[in-house]
Amino acid sequence: MSQEKPATAGLPTLSRSTIWMINFGFLGVQTAFTLQSSQMSRIFQTIGANPNNLGWFFILPPLAGIIVQPIIGYYSDRTWAPKLGGRRLPYLLLGMIVAVIVMLLLPNSGSFGFGYGSLAALWFGAITVAFLDLSSNVAMQPFKMMVGDMVNDDQKSYAYGIQSFLSNTGAVLAAIFPFLLTWLGVANTAKKGVVPDSVIISFYVGAALLVITSLFTVFRVHEYDPATYAMYHGISEEDNAKGGNWFMLLKHAPKAFWTVTLVQFFCWFAFQYLWTYSAGAIAKNVWNTTNATSAGYQAAGNWYGVLAAVQSIAAVVWSYVLAKVPNKYHKAGYAGSLLLGALGFISVFFIHSQGALIVSYILIGIAWAGMNTYPLTIVTNALSGKHMGTYLGLFNGSICFPQIVASLLSFALFPLLGGSQVNMFILAGIVMACGALAVGAIKETYAE
């Protein structure tokens, strides 16, 4: 790994190829995550889940994340296993192995003869989703932490920009897999209660991609040993070894940690409803069906995959735009991105044209770019090297907690809004607009 002149923050300036390798495995992890988020509603409704009960299944991933990520951060701060790659990479390996196994099982939830709508089928799906998100969280967190560990403040925006690019590339691949496989002749329908082959094979391809990209990072990245890490960050080796009370760490967290968390709450609340209700809303508005076993519904599921790809491509393009925004205009770029996303959410309610929905998801992709460009940069710049992994694990609560709240509230809000999946997009748009307003509370700071 090439290292050149030291930067002002104490960390060396890394070559661009090094930064790419630190992040490369994120491509596979995000492919797995997007397959789960974009196909989960389709899978569960295909095997017989009631739309009013979707919140129970969508609460599992963030619940796993809010528990697992702080634990991974806490223990990886204290881990040094050079034969397994260092301090963060051993957890990446563990998460990758479990995620691959579960990715082979989840899309087959309806293929084991449990019966359409049976508790056995739904429980099998729920358990595999929980394990997939748990393992994805274990595999995902090391990439965020390694940027905080190894990249100086001058390069951090670039590093997280590359992470965002790879994340969105993985999301594009995952989203178009079912549509592409259907176009190639793979069956997009199956008998009642069984997930189509186009979805099953997509998960298999995603699992292979996860293995390949993760191993690139494992074999090409060499993390700093504890003494070198302490030297670069200006701390003692004992600072991380001592551990830290999570409540005390949160008590002393920089203000930026909490103001960004407020914005995150609104953003991830809205996106939870995007993932939960997109397939059903598109099927209702464009294909005029609410029957999850119909060919029209499965076509809507494929089209949502294409729209998710559009969202990710828009996010990649907009990320480059945001990267050129001067520092003094970061908050304007952040708030503006979220406001455009709010318009995208609301527009879904009014659109009944398959093609016109592309505009809606472009706007939503702009919000996604803002959500992935600014928060980690702002928070890690405000942190010292002490308990970096633990802090980032705790900050993941700003992603998971709003999803949990959104899922729990859906049991009351969904029937209150007429039991219509399309109506949930109006609510999501209003919440996203609140996130745009909350950006005004953020004040960027830098650790001394």
Side-chain angles (χ1 to χ4, degrees), residues 292-374:
T293 65
S294 67
Y297 185 94
Q298 296 303 326
N302 273 5
W303 188 242
Y304 171 48
V306 173
L307 294 173
V310 168
Q311 172 195 318
S312 297
I313 293 170
V316 170
V317 175
W318 195 248
S319 293
Y320 281 111
V321 174
L322 295 178
K324 297 183 181 298
V325 174
N327 289 347
K328 63 180 180 179
Y329 298 120
H330 274 179
K331 287 172 63 175
Y334 196 2
S337 298
L338 301 184
L339 190 58
L340 289 172
L343 292 175
F345 274 102
I346 293 171
S347 69
V348 172
F349 175 85
F350 297 99
I351 291 175
H352 296 267
S353 164
Q354 185 175 347
L357 282 170
I358 291 174
V359 177
S360 301
Y361 280 78
I362 287 174
L363 294 174
I364 291 170
I366 288 173
W368 185 249
M371 290 164 57
N372 284 278
T373 298
Y374 292 115

Side-chain angles (χ1 to χ4, degrees), residues 131-153:
F131 272 97
L132 178 55
D133 202 78
L134 185 152
S135 56
S136 295
N137 274 288
V138 173
M140 185 181 294
Q141 196 70 352
F143 296 104
K144 300 176 183 179
M145 294 174 183
M146 284 190 291
V147 173
D149 289 347
M150 302 177 67
V151 181
N152 64 50
D153 288 350

Side-chain angles (χ1 to χ4, degrees), residues 42-88:
R42 178 183 184 180
I43 288 172
F44 278 107
Q45 291 189 69
T46 297
I47 64 177
N50 186 317
N52 194 43
N53 294 329
L54 288 176
W56 290 119
F57 305 109
F58 276 84
I59 202 173
L60 294 172
L63 191 60
I66 204 169
I67 295 170
V68 170
Q69 296 232 27
I71 294 173
I72 296 301
Y74 180 88
Y75 284 104
S76 66
D77 275 345
R78 288 146 197 80
T79 295
W80 178 245
K83 291 184 178 179
L84 293 175
R87 58 206 310 247
R88 316 295 187 190

